[in-house]
Amino acid sequence: QVQLVESGGGLVQPGGSLRLSCAASGFTFSSYGMSWYRQAPGKQRESVAGISSSGSTNYPDSVKGRFFISRDNAKSTVYLQMDSLKPEDTAVYYCRTIVGGRLYWGQGTQVTVSS
């Protein structure tokens, strides 16, 4: 079965960096697009980065130039490099994919940006 397991969250000061990882299993990773989403308390879940099976990436304006998504097909892992972090980036970050028309989410990893 499809499994997505995020890691790498934590507490970081404003202006700092973190790299999140999402280890995938249960499907042919290289054939599917992957995305990162986040959800802050009291807010809707929102997309922060996407990468296609061919490696094309997309970002919303709120994180463009600060967040970078990449993938390692040999390790079935997608990464989210987050630089110049701001307090408003505080949220639970989720990995997502769609396989066979079904949506799958990881369990999430908490990122807190605070001094």
Side-chain angles (χ1 to χ4, degrees):
Q1 70 279 22
V2 174
Q3 286 193 319
L4 302 173
V5 180
E6 301 97 335
S7 61
L11 174 64
V12 62
Q13 292 187 341
S17 297
L18 277 178
R19 189 176 82 154
L20 307 183
S21 299
C22 171
S25 61
F27 63 105
T28 306
F29 179 80
S30 61
S31 297
Y32 293 90
M34 302 293 298
S35 300
W36 284 96
Y37 280 69
R38 68 184 179 188
Q39 187 166 22
K43 294 189 176 181
Q44 287 190 330
R45 196 170 293 192
E46 62 175 354
S47 173
V48 295
I51 186 166
S52 70
S53 58
S54 63
S56 299
T57 60
N58 63 84
Y59 308 91
D61 288 344
S62 58
V63 306
K64 197 171 291 183
R66 299 189 300 120
F67 287 15
F68 304 93
I69 188 171
S70 61
R71 63 191 299 156
D72 185 335
N73 290 335
K75 295 183 179 180
S76 296
T77 300
V78 61
Y79 302 98
L80 184 66
Q81 177 67 40
M82 304 186 294
D83 299 328
S84 302
L85 283 161
K86 304 175 182 180
E88 52 263 43
D89 295 318
T90 295
V92 178
Y93 283 72
Y94 299 90
C95 179
R96 191 196 89 156
T97 192
I98 300 174
V99 177
R102 181 175 173 180
L103 183 60
Y104 293 90
W105 295 95
Q107 84 287 352
T109 185
Q110 176 71 46
V111 172
T112 302
V113 184
S114 175
S115 54

